[in-house]
Amino acid sequence: METKTILVDKDVNKEETYSQAVEMLKNGEIVAFPTETVYGLGAVATDTEAVDKIFKAKGRPADNPLIVHVDSKETALKYVSNVTQKAEKCMDAFWPGALTLILKAKPDLFADNVTAGLETVGIRVPSHPVALNLLRQLKMPLAAPSANTSGKPSPTLAEHVYHDMNGKIPLVLDGGATAIGIESTVLDMTCEPPCILRPGNVTKEQLEEVIGVVRLSTDIQGNAPKSPGMKYMHYAPEAPVYLIEEDVRLIEMAIDHVHNEGKKVAVLSHHEFPSADFDFPLSAATLYGSLRKCDMIDVNIILAAVSADKQKDVAILNRLEKAADHKWFS
Ligand code: TXA
Ligand code: MG
């Protein structure tokens, strides 16, 4: 299959841009599109066969449910039930935006593979104008996980999507770099207090200002992860990633140590490390791009600098812990 890319970056409102994508989606094809977090790989959420193509193209385990994207709160309410006051407050405060709410799905509306057989669904209204225009023209809910091969960093550029999906999907809408760069916060509204299953750009503090106490799923000891996707290793480049405390002297020592073993090292950090073979800036917007670049350079080891303060940059730390499989450099 040939993969076509349509550039929408400077022509966000052009009608023809969307008509092709809408036609393909209605015909059961899958299409990649930008959101404000990362690129998504979309299929009409009521079409089992189309949704199955997403799992195949990504190599995604079937027990990992997809997020459904809709154009408004009003549309969302047609598909979910048992919506609490707190859930509505979250919709009003954070939609459109990078917050996915886990709510009870109305029965028999979504294809079974969207929810991986669960009674709940993850749903959000994206704020990216291309995603919103697409949803408004499609007039159907769009199931869309991140548009990367399973286990690889999520795509923040159309090029990343093309790299992973070339030959597997017919169309990528290129809206340029995504603004946030990491996936949405996933908040489970089916429990009390509501629970963050995946940290993201919308923080625990911001949520608590709107709905009061919220738990972080890592606070719950001994429980299996409730968000099925969180048990899989993610975002991993080829070379091993090690976490290291953001301490300039410590990192310099680590670089020397790796060099003494005759190996090459890349450092991801807020600081610059000219003594490393490669150094990349570290922020939500640059994280996945940097991890992908690590696969294009000749490097044996990647050091990811994290703050000793675990309350800082929770979402970035969460992604780096996965990339490193929780290994610390010592
Ligand atoms: O920012 C984002 O959320 C991006 C863009 C494209 O919207 N999407 C995204 O989707 O990151 P995905 O499929 O890569 O991640 C979805 C996460 C997974 O960890 C999945 O397990 C969880 O949401 N999830 C989905 N439905 C769920 C449900 N019913 N209950 C618990 N977790 C759910
Ligand atoms: Mg993903």
Side-chain angles (χ1 to χ4, degrees):
M1 177 189 295
E2 203 198 327
T3 301
K4 183 175 164 185
T5 302
I6 300 183
L7 193 67
V8 276
D9 207 4
K10 308 253 166 342
D11 238 342
V12 168
N13 294 314
K14 207 167 156 201
E15 190 104 355
E16 299 118 74
T17 308
Y18 300 94
S19 49
Q20 260 196 65
V22 166
E23 189 149 322
M24 282 181 183
L25 288 165
K26 284 187 172 164
N27 286 329
E29 280 305 332
I30 58 180
V31 170
F33 61 97
T35 82
E36 70 281 18
T37 58
V38 300
Y39 276 77
L41 184 56
V44 171
T46 51
D47 182 339
T48 310
E49 276 171 47
V51 171
D52 194 47
K53 290 181 184 171
I54 293 179
F55 284 90
K56 289 217 170 77
K58 282 181 62 81
R60 183 176 176 109
D63 66 351
N64 193 1
L66 309 181
I67 291 174
V68 173
H69 300 69
V70 289
D71 64 1
S72 64
K73 172 185 169 188
E74 289 63 43
T75 308
L77 293 175
K78 292 183 188 156
Y79 290 94
V80 291
S81 64
N82 302 34
V83 179
T84 58
Q85 255 186 9
K86 285 184 185 179
E88 281 215 45
K89 279 187 177 170
C90 284
M91 294 174 182
D92 293 333
F94 300 104
W95 282 359
L99 178 68
T100 296
L101 299 175
I102 306 294
L103 289 160
K104 199 158 191 304
K106 287 188 181 162
D108 304 325
L109 292 182
F110 295 121
D112 279 345
N113 45 0
V114 169
T115 56
L118 298 174
E119 286 184 353
T120 55
V121 65
I123 195 161
R124 82 175 185 102
V125 179
S127 68
H128 194 294
V130 173
L132 275 178
N133 281 347
L134 182 62
L135 288 164
R136 284 178 188 142
Q137 297 212 19
L138 182 66
K139 297 186 179 69
M140 282 191 268
L142 202 53
S146 50
N148 51 292
T149 302
S150 239
K152 287 285 153 199
S154 294
T156 55
L157 291 171
E159 285 85 342
H160 298 158
V161 180
Y162 193 81
H163 177 271
D164 286 12
M165 295 297 155
N166 184 21
K168 296 182 179 168
I169 66 172
L171 183 65
V172 183
L173 296 180
D174 180 353
T178 61
I180 294 176
I182 55 174
E183 307 84 346
S184 61
T185 304
V186 177
L187 181 65
D188 188 350
M189 300 303 304
T190 67
C191 50
E192 187 49 44
C195 177
I196 297 175
L197 303 180
R198 180 175 71 182
N201 195 55
V202 176
T203 64
K204 183 171 187 273
E205 293 70 31
Q206 289 172 326
L207 290 166
E208 288 187 330
E209 268 180 40
V210 177
I211 55 168
V213 178
V214 165
R215 280 185 309 175
L216 247 182
S217 77
T218 47
D219 298 343
I220 313 163
Q221 297 297 321
N223 276 345
K226 222 187 144 190
S227 184
M230 299 309 273
K231 69 175 182 263
Y232 297 107
M233 189 167 140
H234 264 82
Y235 324 121
E238 305 291 336
V241 180
Y242 289 88
L243 304 171
I244 187 164
E245 205 170 297
E246 177 90 74
D247 170 329
V248 173
R249 276 198 47 210
L250 186 70
I251 295 173
E252 292 288 2
M253 274 165 61
I255 294 169
D256 282 348
H257 181 84
V258 177
H259 282 161
N260 287 340
E261 290 186 332
K263 291 181 177 163
K264 288 190 176 163
V265 57
V267 178
L268 272 68
S269 165
H270 295 297
H271 297 98
E272 287 179 23
F273 288 94
S275 60
D277 300 277
F278 306 90
D279 68 335
F280 298 111
L282 188 53
S283 66
T286 58
L287 174 65
Y288 289 144
S290 297
L291 288 175
R292 279 180 179 264
K293 277 186 197 145
C294 286
D295 279 345
M296 292 170 193
I297 57 180
D298 179 20
V299 69
N300 307 101
I301 210 174
I302 300 159
L303 297 177
V306 299
S307 165
D309 177 3
K310 286 235 165 188
Q311 305 309 314
K312 235 184 109 193
D313 298 333
V314 177
I316 296 180
L317 178 63
N318 168 269
R319 305 316 192 265
L320 285 176
E321 280 177 332
K322 283 164 173 277
D325 202 14
H326 299 269
K327 299 186 301 293
W328 283 81
F329 187 83
S330 60

